[in-house]
Amino acid sequence: MEEKVQGHALVLPFPAQSHVNPMLQFSKRLVSKGLKATLVATLAMSKSMNLGSSIGTVHLDLISDGFDEDLFASSNSVDSHQSYFTSLRDVGSQSLAGLIRKYENSLNPITCLIYEPFMPWALDVGKQFGLFVASFFTQPCSVEYIYHRVHRKLLELPISSTPISIPGLPLLEHRDLPMVIGVPGSYPLNFGMLMDQFSNLDQADCVLINTFYKLEEQVVDLMSQDCPVLTIGPTVPSFYLDKSIRDDETYGLDFWTVDKSKIFNWLNTKPIGSVVYVAFGSLVEQSEKQLEELAYGLKESNFHFLWLIRPLEEAKLPKTFKEEVAETGKGLIVNWGNQVKILSHEAVGCFLTHCGWNSTIEALSLGVPMVAIPVWSDEPINAKFVEDVWKVGLRVKFDDEANGIFRKEEIERCIKQVMEGDQKGRELKDNAKKWKVLAMEAVSEGGTSDRNIDELLLRLINYHHPVC
């Protein structure tokens, strides 16, 4: 017989690795606080990864997005993506409603829906069933605040002059803006999705953001004037922070095969702080020329490096590069790995990253300085904060005369400045350690994020059992 708990949260992430991980990790936090949590995956995700009925303490259940045989739309065209998002809305909303009904007569009916705002229709479904509904932003508060101001017409597009002054943020140049804002019309479907996040946000009972208060204090305070914001991050496995959740060393769900032994056998042979870890996430694509410059910038820096690169990107590397790396023994190239475990390894001294938000907040939480090479989406402004606000890394300068690519000499310069022990390198390392301590404080008992999760649960209880 199922044990009766204080409430049951249905957690609905957008079906992509970088979106699922933080919401799965947050689900574990909810369970540790006495709530039942069920993560919602698509049928295609389940088939692709052979998912069972749970991931640790978090239950799993399924909905259809209309693409049950294909994890992603089969083409990168705008029409293909538009077709997928239309299907996700039309089929997904009906399937989600059916899932909520399934639990209505169980011992633990759904009392709360936590959804990612890329799917605003989910809020409407939750409200139809009288649920407490919380939005969960997987990007930083600074980025969401910019999008929110654009949506409210407080930031007019296109932006013609710089520097750009936005309350709560440092002065920004065009290169610092999220790509859909800085280059109007470049990603019309993405722009529409990002604006739609706010179409019905005023109906949400709570707005959760995967950040922590001291990391984005000013902008959190400003956004809180318009939305019921609670910072609940960083959503990093508990083992690396407060250790309050048992057996929580990985996210527990990977879209790709993880090669564990090869990576850590290699890292274990390297001196403390001697390895540059390189990864550009699960979505970023780069040209052959950019990858060539990156490859030889790494090689000529003369540091050991561990490079996680997806097979399609690996195929673009210079033909002789892997042979050269093998001959010197300086590098290891693999297709996927456990990023938080790699970042926590004592041999890693620097993270060369695209500055996707998951990667950025993981590095901040684990005290690893960064070399930032932003490519698209929210990455440019994350890189701006890494270099100029949090002061935990350097941003590689692009060569405008070479069609905006980054040169190997610039990559080598940044790596050496971060890795070597001069004044700048020491300052970056010291700041990285400071943010690690603050991240740990936020999620530990009595910290800002811990208190906010308690506040969320209190609001949920009062929603269904109001105090007169």
Side-chain angles (χ1 to χ4, degrees), residues 191-202:
F191 181 80
M193 283 177 59
L194 291 165
M195 293 302 104
D196 284 348
Q197 293 182 108
F198 304 99
S199 61
N200 57 359
L201 192 69
D202 60 328

Side-chain angles (χ1 to χ4, degrees), residues 57 62 115 146 156 158 189 192 197 205 251-252 279 304 309 426:
T57 57
L62 305 175
Y115 77 101
I146 292 174
E156 294 290 340
L189 180 59
Q197 293 182 108
D205 298 295
Y251 291 103
H304 297 294
I309 182 169
R426 288 193 299 273

Side-chain angles (χ1 to χ4, degrees), residues 266 270-278 295-306 321 325 328-332 347 349-350 371 411-421 429:
W266 185 83
K270 301 299 178 281
I272 294 173
S274 67
V275 174
V276 178
Y277 168 56
V278 187
Y296 288 112
L298 282 168
K299 182 187 174 190
E300 292 172 20
S301 74
N302 206 34
F303 287 98
H304 297 294
F305 65 88
L306 167 63
F321 180 69
V325 168
T328 62
K330 277 288 186 180
L332 177 66
C350 167
V371 171
I411 296 165
E412 179 186 354
R413 179 190 72 82
C414 290
I415 290 173
K416 285 185 172 179
Q417 198 164 5
V418 173
M419 289 288 282
E420 291 175 347
K429 291 179 177 68

Side-chain angles (χ1 to χ4, degrees), residues 220-249:
V220 168
D221 286 342
L222 286 167
M223 192 161 176
S224 295
Q225 295 173 14
D226 299 317
C227 308
V229 168
L230 294 176
T231 58
I232 48 75
T235 56
V236 172
S238 174
F239 177 84
Y240 306 99
L241 294 170
D242 61 326
K243 303 185 188 300
S244 66
I245 303 175
R246 186 176 177 183
D247 299 324
D248 186 32
E249 194 171 350

Side-chain angles (χ1 to χ4, degrees), residues 17-71:
Q17 180 88 63
S18 59
H19 298 260
V20 172
N21 277 355
M23 296 188 75
L24 170 58
Q25 199 58 40
F26 181 64
S27 299
K28 297 176 189 177
R29 287 272 169 191
L30 294 179
V31 173
S32 75
K33 295 281 190 178
L35 203 69
K36 179 174 180 178
T38 296
L39 186 81
V40 181
T42 63
L43 287 162
M45 284 173 60
S46 177
K47 291 175 183 177
S48 174
M49 293 177 283
N50 297 313
L51 296 178
S53 60
S54 64
I55 299 175
T57 57
V58 178
H59 292 258
L60 286 174
D61 217 323
L62 305 175
I63 64 167
S64 173
D65 58 4
F67 283 73
D68 297 344
E69 301 302 322
D70 298 307
L71 185 55

Side-chain angles (χ1 to χ4, degrees), residues 378-399:
D378 60 325
E379 296 159 12
I381 190 167
N382 296 342
K384 168 71 173 178
F385 272 69
V386 162
E387 184 172 52
D388 293 338
V389 178
W390 304 318
K391 300 184 185 300
V392 293
L394 299 177
R395 180 177 182 175
V396 170
K397 293 179 176 60
F398 287 79
D399 187 341

Side-chain angles (χ1 to χ4, degrees), residues 25 36 91 93 95 104 106 113 124 141 160 169 234 241 251 299 318 322 371 374 386 397 400 429 450 455 458:
Q25 199 58 40
K36 179 174 180 178
V91 178
S93 58
S95 190
E104 281 183 332
S106 71
L113 175 65
D124 299 330
C141 189
S160 57
L169 301 180
L241 294 170
Y251 291 103
K299 182 187 174 190
K322 288 187 74 173
V371 171
V386 162
K397 293 179 176 60
D400 291 330
K429 291 179 177 68
D450 182 65
E455 172 66 20
L458 182 62

